[in-house]
Amino acid sequence: MLTTPDEYVNQLYPEDEELQHIIEAIREQGMPEVSVAPAYGKLLTLLVQASGASSVLEIGALGGYSGICLCRGLPAHGRLTSLELKEEYAALAGKHLAMAGFQDQVEYRIGPAADSLAALREEGRTFDFFFIDADKENYPLYLDYALELANPGALIAGDNCFLRGRTLNSEKNGPSVQAVRDFNARIAADERLISTLLPAYDGLILARVK
């Protein structure tokens, strides 16, 4: 018997073998098993494709699960720039994207995302789509950069906006919780954005730059 909407959605869509291989590789490497939910991965593909985005910035590569989802929505000339703190994570992600046929469409930048974002700003880079799924304490900073680097009409997506329920729990007030609450509240109130927060899985916030 299905007990939650999440379980129902998961049953509707069969596992994607290519993406399931990434989940298994992440587990084998002892990496955090925090890839975007499969249904939200499909949503990322849909949004990139429907918006016509050709330049995507991903903050947090991990094993390449979300990277593949994003690249699946890109046109042939589209490009993904992925920021990852750890070199070994970026290497695994790059391997998986190459296996999926996207090696010529992705660029990895290694090191603290704040440094990479500052460099992208200095280079005058701009993007059509942003996916934020990295260290939660810096979510507000990543939002600042996304707004600065966004092309008109760009989309911004941020994962884990519920932090497995901690964001909703008034007794939880650690740095990550407070940062994500600030991130959510700022997106909801910013008059430059049209946004919504999807309540399934661990919460995905979506915004479009006016």
Side-chain angles (χ1 to χ4, degrees):
M1 178 179 176
L2 298 175
T3 59
T4 69
D6 292 357
E7 291 177 352
Y8 177 71
V9 173
N10 291 339
Q11 187 184 67
L12 281 177
Y13 296 95
E15 289 184 353
D16 183 307
E17 292 186 7
E18 189 169 53
L19 296 176
Q20 188 59 33
H21 171 74
I22 296 177
I23 295 296
E24 293 168 359
I26 287 172
R27 185 175 299 124
E28 290 171 1
Q29 294 293 324
M31 296 163 61
E33 296 184 40
V34 292
S35 298
V36 66
Y40 283 161
K42 290 179 179 293
L43 180 60
L44 292 177
T45 300
L46 186 156
L47 289 172
V48 171
Q49 187 174 54
S51 67
S54 60
S55 56
V56 175
L57 179 64
E58 173 187 50
I59 305 177
L62 193 61
Y65 189 108
S66 57
I68 286 180
C69 294
L70 293 164
C71 282
R72 284 177 174 177
L74 284 170
H77 67 277
R79 190 160 185 83
L80 169 68
T81 300
S82 183
L83 313 184
E84 174 53 55
L85 176 64
K86 298 186 177 183
E87 187 171 354
E88 63 269 28
Y89 288 10
L92 183 64
K95 173 184 174 182
H96 288 143
L97 266 78
M99 291 172 63
F102 298 119
Q103 66 270 19
D104 295 331
Q105 290 183 267
V106 61
E107 167 198 4
Y108 288 97
R109 297 203 177 197
I110 314 300
D115 295 345
S116 297
L117 288 163
L120 290 169
R121 179 177 59 190
E122 290 300 312
E123 294 167 19
R125 296 281 298 278
T126 58
F127 300 89
D128 303 318
F129 195 103
F130 300 82
F131 181 51
I132 302 171
D133 190 14
D135 54 307
K136 309 311 174 191
E137 291 184 36
N138 280 315
Y139 264 37
L141 175 65
Y142 300 154
L143 175 60
D144 289 337
Y145 272 108
L147 289 167
E148 193 170 351
L149 301 178
N151 290 320
L155 295 180
I156 301 170
D159 197 22
N160 305 120
C161 293
F162 294 154
L163 289 179
R164 299 184 179 180
R166 286 180 290 156
T167 307
L168 291 69
N169 187 342
S170 61
E171 296 182 358
K172 301 292 185 181
N173 290 290
S176 293
V177 175
Q178 292 189 52
V180 172
R181 284 181 185 145
D182 180 44
F183 174 79
N184 294 341
R186 286 179 54 194
I187 288 180
D190 196 318
E191 294 184 354
R192 295 169 293 178
L193 301 172
I194 301 171
S195 68
T196 191
L197 175 53
L198 304 184
Y201 301 96
D202 198 28
L204 184 76
I205 201 163
L206 298 173
R208 181 179 182 271
V209 180
K210 294 180 181 178

